Amino acid sequence: MDIITLAHGSGGKATHSLIKDVFYKHFKNDILLQQKDSGILQNLNGKIAVTTDSFVVKPIFFHGGDIGKLSVCGTVNDLAVCGAKPLYITVGFIIEEGLKIDVLEKITKSMAKTAEKTEIKIVAGDTKVVEKGKADKIFINTTGIGLIEDNQIDLSINRIKEGDKVILSGTLGDHGMCIMNSRGELGLDAYIKSDCCLLNTLIRDILKISKNIKFMRDPTRGGLATTLNEIIENSNNSIVLNEGDIPIKKKVMSMCELLGFDPLYVANEGKIVVIVSDNDADIVLKIMRKNPLGKDSKIIGRVINDGNNRVYLKTEIGGTRMLNMLSGELLPRIC
Amino acid sequence: MKYIKEFRNPNLAKRMLDDILHAIKGNITIMEVCGTHTMSIFKNGIRSLLPKNISMISGPGCPVCVTEQGFIDTATKLCRNDDIIIASFGDMMKVPGTSSSLKIEKALGRDIKVVLSPLDCLNIAKQNPNKEVVFLAIGFETTAPIIALSIYKAKKENINNYSILQSIKTMPDVLRHIASNEEVNIDGFLCPGHVSTVIGVKPFEFLVKEFNLPAVIAGFEYCDIIGAIYFIVDMIAKKEYKVKNIYERIVKYEGNKKALAIIDEVFNPADSTWRGLGNIKNTGFKLKDNYKNFDAVSKLNIKMVQSYIHKDCICGEILKGLKKPTECKLFAKVCSPLNPIGACMISQEGTCNTYYKYEAR
């Protein structure tokens, strides 16, 4: 059986053949194939965005994606929400010995396919192999480099003002509940697909249409509630959300109900939250809805200036409650 | 979503809130016993919609909150034994003992497994024949049937490396304990919905007979809760007291006979020590003699650790409804969900945790 052994991380012949037969085969591009110790990038004119992220998802294959797709999407999305065009990505693999090589190849192919879709080049990489039990199958670290070509793009928390609208690009909690269900520990027979996807084209479209987009973020871990708290944390502003306007799939809602989770805190991998001026909110919403990734977009709230920097939720029955940041991790309730 | 959507009807909720406003005379204090009710009240912003003269206070209905610190200390000590696998509900992981927690011990490499059902322990026991699987059996009448079933099945299947460290609590007599406390001033009870699904309506009728207090058994959707508050206010206005069941879609007068039968098969009623409230007669269980091999304390010769909670922690008063979390010196300063001092801050259904989540910063 072809499996990863410690030899594949030794830097010797096995490493060399892994790089050649798996990584170069799928990640091939002019920069990587120069086979230098560093990828040499073209002159980049403009502001450069850099981001890094590590992916340790379990299981590594899930409905709607896998750890490879997730690692490229996550990094591309982090560049895109800053207004950058994603250009280059580096990849570091930490692999537990015993992983089948065809599993690694499947992940690699998925990364290559996702990168190709967004025209981002995988320009450098690294492989380490650790002993059985020292990692969980495979961990991936990625670093992304993007270029902010349009000097007029100014996405900054400081630009957020009273009256600005909060737009969410679609349903909440799909990724988090998919992962939880895919672990097979809940004994639930629910088909929930992760929303893991590339958001850069959706973001490009709305940045083209409006110069009054104040800030964007993809609400990943910690969910929408934590993301909005981070956004208004150091300002005088607060955000009021309307519970009835927040889109959540019935299946996701049912599973959250059953386990005692609040979908506002569950992770997403294919959604953006956009803070935009009141005047441009409708046109931005219209453009978002034209894109299949934003078809369920909704204005879910507004910015108020009450000096409290809090996130409030106006409930369906007209009550108000606060949404704090997630404290600790999500765990199913007892009863 | 059947049986949920119907109880999420904003128009009906608004009408009932109006009715409450018209029915209320004077100040009314209602204890919602169950932690899930507390969560739902906060989650739906119900407090902000009630008239100011209705005061909702949270009772002892969070299973983690009422589990004594000594139980946690015993569990954390036990998990350091390499021959033992500790299995627990997720909520227990974060509960701090005197100097450690299951979460910390797990991070240190102890074999601790989070299970969604005690029945999962039987598979863990089968897969690890050389280890003893000890389930941390906490909860109320809601978790008791499935815990009892796990023991019944283990006995039937000759799984001899499974046992429970038991601290299950039962509800009616703790309410008797609270209602008979002269310091406590409660005008009505929102009875625990989950517990009622198992034990039924009858065990709460003493609230009317002995204390002349109205009580409503309700579900957890906002219409259920607002409806329950309306009926309590209405009964007080009319001075006609009874235990009203508005959770008939789940709760039967006699309870769930199958669940009660399995509890009765495995457990006998017993006294139990509640964190913050002390030892209360007839509020717990002990294993019947023919199941005593599944009692971890005697089987593993465990000496339960005696511990004391922080001197400034007022969880006891909070569980009795005498004080609110915001009256605690430690609340949101020293004690928070990331650094919980008292039990009420730990569980996601704990009163302090709920206050922190929805009202503090």
Side-chain angles (χ1 to χ4, degrees):
Chain A
M1 189 195 300
D2 283 340
I3 57 166
I4 295 288
T5 65
L6 290 174
H8 287 104
S10 66
K13 213 170 171 181
T15 311
H16 186 72
S17 84
L18 188 72
I19 291 171
K20 212 173 132 199
D21 299 340
V22 178
F23 300 133
Y24 283 174
K25 184 174 148 194
H26 296 293
F27 294 162
K28 53 185 174 225
N29 61 64
D30 51 339
I31 298 171
L32 188 71
L33 292 181
Q34 285 175 16
Q35 299 184 34
K36 293 183 175 174
D37 280 353
S38 303
I40 310 296
L41 310 179
Q42 300 297 324
N43 290 333
L44 300 173
N45 296 319
K47 286 186 274 187
I48 293 167
V50 181
T51 184
T52 191
D53 211 339
S54 298
F55 298 85
V56 295
V57 67
K58 178 185 175 180
I60 52 176
F61 296 98
F62 48 86
H63 299 311
D66 57 79
I67 191 169
K69 180 183 177 189
L70 187 68
S71 67
V72 177
C73 289
T75 302
V76 165
N77 293 346
D78 283 350
L79 292 171
V81 289
C82 295
K85 182 184 175 191
L87 294 176
Y88 304 110
I89 190 166
T90 72
V91 182
F93 293 101
I94 295 173
I95 308 170
E96 183 188 23
E97 63 173 334
L99 184 81
K100 287 181 187 169
I101 290 182
D102 60 1
V103 169
L104 177 67
E105 195 160 3
K106 205 172 157 190
I107 292 166
T108 312
K109 269 187 198 169
S110 175
M111 291 181 79
K113 195 176 149 196
T114 314
E116 198 185 324
K117 264 190 192 169
T118 190
E119 295 172 1
I120 195 169
K121 285 180 177 172
I122 298 171
V123 291
D126 177 51
T127 310
K128 295 284 183 289
V129 180
V130 296
E131 287 168 43
K132 190 89 189 156
K134 303 287 180 193
D136 195 354
K137 293 190 177 74
I138 185 166
F139 299 152
I140 299 178
N141 172 268
T142 51
T143 294
I145 295 169
L147 188 64
I148 302 171
E149 294 167 309
D150 183 348
N151 275 332
Q152 286 183 301
I153 292 175
D154 179 18
L155 299 169
S156 153
I157 286 173
N158 299 332
R159 287 183 65 210
I160 298 171
K161 276 189 192 147
E162 184 169 25
D164 288 350
K165 291 282 171 22
V166 182
I167 304 178
L168 177 67
S169 67
T171 54
L172 285 183
D174 300 15
H175 179 72
M177 296 323 286
C178 163
I179 293 299
M180 219 164 280
N181 194 43
S182 302
R183 284 178 187 163
E185 294 162 359
L186 304 174
L188 297 176
D189 186 21
Y191 184 89
I192 296 177
K193 193 178 172 189
S194 164
D195 58 354
C196 172
C197 70
L198 297 160
L199 292 164
N200 56 315
T201 52
L202 174 69
I203 292 168
R204 185 195 59 204
D205 291 350
I206 59 171
L207 284 174
K208 255 190 214 165
I209 200 79
S210 171
K211 298 292 171 216
N212 289 312
I213 291 173
K214 310 291 183 74
F215 199 72
M216 278 185 287
R217 190 162 276 179
D218 48 341
T220 52
R221 282 175 308 162
L224 177 75
T226 306
T227 298
L228 292 179
N229 270 285
E230 284 165 1
I231 292 174
I232 46 97
E233 194 173 28
N234 295 315
S235 74
N236 282 324
N237 297 314
S238 290
I239 288 172
V240 185
L241 299 178
N242 294 317
E243 187 177 36
D245 293 332
I246 300 173
I248 298 163
K249 284 194 179 94
K250 204 170 152 186
K251 265 191 265 184
V252 170
M253 180 56 98
S254 300
M255 197 169 158
C256 285
E257 292 281 345
L258 196 64
L259 297 169
F261 292 154
D262 188 338
L264 303 181
Y265 290 89
V266 176
N268 313 281
E269 284 296 343
K271 299 290 156 22
I272 43 165
V273 57
V274 181
I275 315 258
V276 58
S277 72
D278 187 19
N279 285 341
D280 283 11
D282 287 340
I283 181 72
V284 168
L285 183 69
K286 200 175 153 192
I287 296 298
M288 286 173 81
R289 282 182 175 168
K290 275 190 180 169
N291 188 312
L293 297 176
K295 67 178 171 44
D296 297 323
S297 297
K298 275 196 145 183
I299 295 175
I300 57 163
R302 66 185 199 284
V303 175
I304 59 165
N305 185 268
D306 65 351
N308 286 336
N309 63 315
R310 286 181 172 173
V311 181
Y312 304 102
L313 184 81
K314 197 97 182 150
T315 66
E316 203 179 29
I317 50 171
T320 303
R321 66 163 159 125
M322 267 181 57
L323 288 176
N324 273 324
M325 277 197 189
L326 178 67
S327 290
E329 71 268 50
L330 290 174
L331 287 168
R333 67 175 169 213
I334 293 177
C335 67
Chain B
M1 297 289 270
K2 190 160 164 55
Y3 299 130
I4 293 183
K5 260 190 156 174
E6 296 84 339
F7 300 89
R8 290 183 186 166
N9 179 335
N11 294 332
L12 177 62
K14 280 169 195 164
R15 279 211 309 274
M16 287 193 293
L17 284 163
D18 269 354
D19 290 344
I20 290 171
L21 203 61
H22 287 112
I24 193 160
K25 288 168 188 148
N27 294 323
I28 289 177
T29 301
I30 299 169
M31 173 176 272
E32 85 274 357
V33 178
C34 182
T36 314
H37 275 141
T38 307
M39 278 217 343
S40 187
I41 287 168
F42 278 86
K43 195 176 161 194
N44 291 295
I46 292 175
R47 275 159 58 96
S48 66
L49 295 167
L50 290 173
K52 290 214 171 350
N53 43 347
I54 292 186
S55 177
M56 299 297 297
I57 55 169
S58 309
C62 161
V64 172
C65 305
V66 295
T67 303
E68 349 156 53
Q69 190 160 329
F71 182 88
I72 314 297
D73 287 339
T74 306
T76 52
K77 199 173 150 190
L78 204 58
C79 74
R80 293 171 196 161
N81 184 332
D82 290 341
D83 297 327
I84 288 173
I85 297 172
I86 293 284
S88 171
F89 289 128
D91 264 15
M92 286 290 281
M93 297 300 289
K94 293 186 269 181
V95 186
T98 306
S99 59
S100 187
S101 68
L102 293 173
K103 192 175 148 186
I104 291 171
E105 295 295 328
K106 193 169 192 297
L108 293 171
R110 321 291 182 208
D111 204 345
I112 299 167
K113 300 195 187 306
V114 173
V115 291
L116 287 162
S117 160
L119 293 176
D120 297 342
C121 297
L122 305 186
N123 282 335
I124 299 171
K126 281 183 205 164
Q127 286 156 11
N128 297 275
N130 299 325
K131 290 193 173 191
E132 176 75 11
V133 177
V134 180
F135 177 67
L136 304 181
I138 67 154
F140 299 112
E141 289 93 334
T142 39
T143 53
I146 194 84
I147 294 168
L149 185 64
S150 75
I151 293 162
Y152 178 79
K153 282 186 88 169
K155 189 176 180 188
K156 215 171 165 190
E157 293 173 25
N158 284 321
I159 300 171
N160 297 315
N161 59 331
Y162 172 58
S163 53
I164 60 167
L165 189 64
Q166 205 270 118
S167 185
I168 305 168
K169 310 266 188 276
T170 56
M171 196 49 84
D173 280 281
V174 73
L175 297 190
R176 181 177 274 113
H177 177 84
I178 289 170
S180 59
N181 185 326
E182 285 178 4
E183 288 176 273
V184 177
N185 185 20
I186 292 169
D187 302 304
F189 280 96
L190 173 47
C191 286
H194 292 316
V195 166
S196 306
T197 60
V198 176
I199 65 172
V201 177
K202 211 174 164 185
F204 295 108
E205 287 180 338
F206 75 92
L207 289 167
V208 181
K209 285 176 193 153
E210 294 176 29
F211 302 99
N212 202 28
L213 285 170
V216 177
I217 294 166
F220 301 93
E221 304 304 330
Y222 57 71
C223 282
D224 289 308
I225 294 169
I226 296 169
I229 295 168
Y230 166 72
F231 283 117
I232 291 171
V233 169
D234 187 54
M235 282 192 271
I236 292 170
K238 291 177 178 158
K239 294 193 175 140
E240 288 168 6
Y241 304 120
K242 63 174 188 170
V243 179
K244 195 169 172 55
N245 178 16
I246 61 166
Y247 200 21
E248 277 178 324
R249 62 191 189 270
I250 312 265
V251 175
K252 308 295 166 221
Y253 183 77
E254 299 289 347
N256 180 331
K257 288 179 184 169
K258 215 171 169 181
L260 290 169
I262 190 73
I263 293 176
D264 190 49
E265 163 68 27
V266 174
F267 293 117
N268 273 330
D271 298 348
S272 182
T273 305
W274 295 59
R275 186 162 174 156
L277 298 176
N279 194 273
I280 305 173
K281 212 177 157 203
N282 196 30
T283 58
F285 288 128
K286 66 176 179 191
L287 284 161
K288 283 189 171 165
D289 281 351
N290 48 337
Y291 290 99
K292 66 181 178 196
N293 290 346
F294 296 93
D295 176 16
V297 173
S298 55
K299 187 178 184 181
L300 306 172
N301 200 18
I302 295 167
K303 211 174 163 200
M304 293 300 287
V305 178
Q306 299 297 319
S307 9
Y308 302 92
I309 55 172
H310 193 290
K311 67 177 174 49
D312 291 326
C313 174
I314 59 163
C315 281
E317 281 112 315
I318 289 168
L319 291 170
K320 280 185 266 193
L322 290 171
K323 285 191 177 167
K324 288 187 177 166
T326 40
E327 292 174 67
C328 178
K329 277 187 206 170
L330 307 176
F331 180 75
K333 296 182 186 87
V334 180
C335 185
S336 71
L338 284 179
N339 179 41
I341 305 295
C344 300
M345 185 59 88
I346 301 146
S347 162
Q348 55 181 320
E349 298 194 348
T351 314
C352 296
N353 188 297
T354 309
Y355 265 73
Y356 186 93
K357 188 171 170 192
Y358 296 118
E359 292 204 342
R361 200 70 201 256

